[in-house]
Amino acid sequence: MPVIRSSEAVTHEIHGARFVSYATPLSGSKELCAWRGEIPAGLKAPAHTVSREEIFHLLDGELLITLDGRTGRITAGDTVIVNPGATLTVENPTDRTAYSWVTTSIGLEARLADGTRIAPPWAN
């Protein structure tokens, strides 16, 4: 039975946010990846277009999510479904860190507005 202890989770930082990965191929997952996101106060991550569906659940805090040009405020307990090909921006307009849980399939890539492709290590 694969159990990933919090002490074994791998942490990555990119664009000012922290991603703590739990389920990855390296930890034994065959199809899905899952990580906790830590979005600091005042952070606005760059817009990125995803290659795979993401389920973005806000555990704690409040965020502004822009999905394909539509912006909405989400609060703890809300879930956003990000379909493949959608462009997503995450912004934390508050004065405290927000925490999210994201699940996607292995192989997720993101493309920034300038065309840069990112294959996040926590999703591959």
Side-chain angles (χ1 to χ4, degrees):
M1 168 176 70
V3 175
I4 293 78
R5 308 279 179 210
S6 60
S7 61
E8 299 168 337
V10 178
T11 300
H12 304 275
E13 294 190 21
I14 187 170
H15 301 295
R18 177 177 291 149
F19 302 88
V20 184
S21 60
Y22 293 88
T24 70
L26 291 176
S27 65
S29 181
K30 302 290 185 216
E31 296 181 12
L32 299 175
C33 295
W35 62 85
R36 185 182 72 235
E38 300 174 6
I39 304 99
L43 179 75
K44 182 174 183 179
H48 58 285
T49 303
V50 297
S51 64
R52 310 235 178 186
E53 184 174 66
E54 283 186 1
I55 306 302
F56 185 101
H57 179 77
L58 192 59
L59 298 168
D60 187 41
E62 189 175 318
L63 295 171
L64 293 176
I65 300 288
T66 302
L67 190 60
D68 288 336
R70 289 187 52 206
T71 301
R73 183 175 300 272
I74 64 169
T75 58
D78 292 344
T79 299
V80 178
I81 298 171
V82 183
N83 290 309
T87 299
L88 171 71
T89 303
V90 177
E91 180 179 359
N92 183 349
T94 73
D95 61 357
R96 65 187 192 104
T97 299
Y99 297 89
S100 64
W101 185 261
V102 178
T103 302
T104 189
S105 55
I106 292 170
L108 171 81
E109 290 186 350
R111 185 173 27 87
L112 301 178
D114 68 2
T116 302
R117 296 196 97 148
I118 300 171
W122 56 91
N124 290 285

